[in-house]
């Protein structure tokens, strides 16, 4: 009897090994998967982007893993990413099912987690056009100055900048989306910021639930919190949207929602879209539009403190360009501040604030780097690996803004994908770049950032991973460089 059981087990193992090898014969190389678990034991929850980068050293810049029974292709190089996202954009424009994404995306009516379709293209066009036409409604400069006043109020004493930065960007996006007269009050902004923190944390845990869907029926705390956060967000956005619908006038466009409503009617989108999709688009603009630049801005302050020589060079460049003129840095100064732009690019690179982009999926049978990729294959874009690839970057773990400057000191940014590429790139890229530039330019022009005496910055490796890499809270001193009040 024992011999028969052993023989049966050997037979089943042989069948599993042979069938797995056969199924994967045309796919990129990768580790052999365990039954049911796949390669989950090789990919931790704390820093999966580093684990995947380490696997690339063995299996190559494009490799395959199994998340449970789901096959996943992992892209770890800039060149292969461009092939997928630019050369074969529609092939890789889909989205796999994403449990927390369906909560975050209001049952997949949003832009981020909805898969590619004609409906998505029209919704994307309406939102992108609305962002372009209403960017000035945000009045970025006003919110930067209010943040400067907050920094001034500490009179050089230690404080934690994180919550102040989040609140500032939250108010900025509120002005853009709802208009100056109808923007959110402080309590509503605070509720939405708390909700987006929960979303960011839950999205980092999504792979486990998507691999083992049965766990979505378990009383897991992060699922309860995500659903509660979604209810809080939806109550605010649905109420504000209804207020806009009831007062909408096509000849009096006040903000982003009004512009989307106008585009909705002009594009005759009612056959494909409902107003539910517009609410989701507005939420898409606020949530990532607040979380991502706030995270980046916090890291920019962090690295300005960590590398005082870099901060001193930034101050010199700002002083040379702006000097003691009776004005502050403007968006129009960007082309005259190449080192500041290089500093922002290097923070994007070394932090990789979104280390694993929202997963893609293939819309049809296709190929990548010479390998056949079947339809409905999940694709991970490992931005952290791309930004730390030693074959592309010299000293990838060293912080060197000058790597983005040529011999003449002119800006040359290539190889980083902070907003992704192609059809699924971030629709708020243009606005986000302008906002982050103006915030960091004016803050550095007005202040010198220092670590409080006796304090130390947290280590970069201590950051919290959700869908974003969030810097651990730290205290700083903002020393005024100019006494005049502007």
């Amino acid at each position: 009897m024992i011999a028969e059981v052993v023989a049966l087990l050997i037979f089943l193992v042989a069948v599993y090994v042979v069938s797995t090898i056969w199924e994967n014969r045309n796919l990129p190389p990768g580790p052999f998967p365990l039954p049911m678990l796949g390669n989950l034991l090789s990919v931790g929850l704390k820093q999966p982007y580093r684990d995947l980068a380490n696997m690339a050293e063995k299996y190559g810049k494009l490799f395959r893993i199994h998340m449970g029974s789901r096959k996943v292709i992992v892209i770890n190089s800039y060149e292969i990413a461009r092939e997928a996202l630019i050369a074969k954009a529609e092939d890789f424009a889909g989205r796999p099912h994403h449990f927390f994404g369906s909560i975050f995306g209001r049952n997949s009516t949003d832009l981020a987690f909805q898969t590619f379709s004609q409906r998505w293209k029209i919704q994307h066009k309406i939102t992108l056009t609305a962002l372009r036409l209403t960017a000035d409604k945000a009045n970025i400069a006003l919110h930067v100055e209010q943040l400067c006043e907050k920094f001034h109020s500490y009179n050089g004493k230690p404080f934690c900048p994180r919550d102040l930065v989040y609140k500032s960007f939250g108010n900025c996006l509120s002005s853009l989306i709802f208009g100056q007269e109808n923007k959110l009050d402080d309590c509503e902004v605070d509720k939405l910021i708390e909700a987006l923190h929960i979303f960011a944390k839950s999205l980092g845990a999504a792979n486990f639930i998507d691999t083992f869907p049965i766990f979505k029926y378990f009383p897991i705390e992060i699922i309860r919190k995500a659903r509660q956060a979604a209810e809080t967000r939806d109550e605010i956005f649905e109420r504000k949207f209804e207020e806009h619908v009831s007062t909408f006038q096509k000849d009096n466009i006040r903000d982003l929602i009004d512009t989307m409503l106008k585009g909705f009617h002009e594009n005759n989108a009612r056959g494909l879209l409902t107003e539910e999709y517009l609410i989701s688009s507005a939420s898409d603009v606020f949530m990532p539009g607040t979380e991502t630049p706030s995270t980046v801005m916090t890291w920019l302050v962090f690295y300005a403190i960590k590398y005082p020589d870099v901060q001193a060079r930034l101050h010199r460049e700002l002083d040379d360009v702006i000097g003691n003129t009776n004005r502050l840095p403007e968006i129009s100064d960007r082309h005259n501040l190449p080192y500041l732009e290089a500093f922002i690019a290097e923070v994007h690179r070394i932090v990789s604030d979104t280390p694993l982009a929202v997963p893609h999926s293939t819309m049809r049978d296709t190929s990548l780097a010479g390998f056949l990729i079947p339809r409905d294959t999940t694709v991970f874009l490992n931005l952290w690996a791309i930004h730390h690839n030693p074959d592309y970057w010299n000293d990838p773990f060293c912080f060197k803004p000058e790597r983005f400057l040529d011999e003449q000191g002119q800006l040359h940014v290539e190889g980083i994908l902070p907003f992704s590429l192609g059809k699924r790139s971030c629709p708020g890229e243009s606005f986000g770049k302008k906002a982050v530039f103006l915030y960091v330019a004016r803050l550095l022009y007005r202040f010198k950032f220092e670590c409080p005496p006796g304090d130390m910055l947290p280590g970069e490796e201590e950051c919290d991973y959700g869908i974003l890499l969030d810097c651990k809270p730290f205290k700083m001193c903002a020393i005024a460089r100019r006494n005049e009040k502007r």
Side-chain angles (χ1 to χ4, degrees), residues 374-394:
R375 179 181 179 176
D376 295 328
T377 299
T378 298
V379 180
F380 284 178
L381 191 65
N382 190 351
L383 298 181
W384 190 91
I386 291 171
H387 294 164
H388 294 81
N389 179 4
D391 296 332
Y392 193 97
W393 305 101
N394 182 31

Side-chain angles (χ1 to χ4, degrees), residues 402-420:
E402 58 273 15
R403 72 172 75 244
F404 292 107
L405 300 175
D406 63 20
E407 292 180 356
Q408 288 73 44
Q410 297 301 305
L411 186 71
H412 182 70
V413 176
E414 189 175 5
I416 60 171
L417 305 171
F419 300 93
S420 192

Side-chain angles (χ1 to χ4, degrees), residues 14 62 78 112 127 174 197 206 217 222 231 359 384 405 413 423 428:
L62 182 71
Y78 180 66
T127 305
S174 172
H197 287 330
Y217 301 108
I222 192 62
E231 290 175 4
W384 190 91
L405 300 175
V413 176
K423 294 185 179 297

Side-chain angles (χ1 to χ4, degrees), residues 295-336:
T295 300
V296 173
M297 190 65 232
T298 305
W299 280 113
L300 287 164
V301 173
F302 175 95
Y303 279 100
I305 296 171
K306 184 176 177 66
Y307 296 100
D309 290 346
V310 170
Q311 185 178 177
R313 183 171 172 180
L314 291 165
H315 286 152
R316 287 196 300 272
E317 183 181 67
L318 284 161
D319 291 344
D320 288 344
V321 173
I322 311 300
N324 291 316
T325 57
N326 191 29
R327 71 179 184 91
L328 293 166
E330 301 289 352
I331 296 295
S332 58
D333 292 310
R334 286 175 70 180
H335 68 283
N336 291 321

Side-chain angles (χ1 to χ4, degrees), residues 134 137-138 143 171-185 240 244 253-258:
T134 58
K137 303 285 187 182
H143 296 285
N171 281 319
C172 183
L173 270 294
S174 172
S175 298
L176 169 68
I177 297 167
F178 305 110
Q180 286 292 332
E181 295 181 0
N182 298 295
K183 66 181 181 180
L184 304 175
D185 61 35
K240 301 295 283 187
H244 276 70
I253 302 302
R254 300 162 292 183
D255 46 48
L256 183 98
I257 290 181
D258 275 357

Side-chain angles (χ1 to χ4, degrees), residues 38 67 119 127 204 253 262 267 314 325 336 347 388 396 436 449:
M67 307 294 286
R119 171 189 290 160
T127 305
I253 302 302
K262 185 178 180 181
N267 283 274
L314 291 165
T325 57
N336 291 321
V347 169
H388 294 81
V436 167
F449 300 133

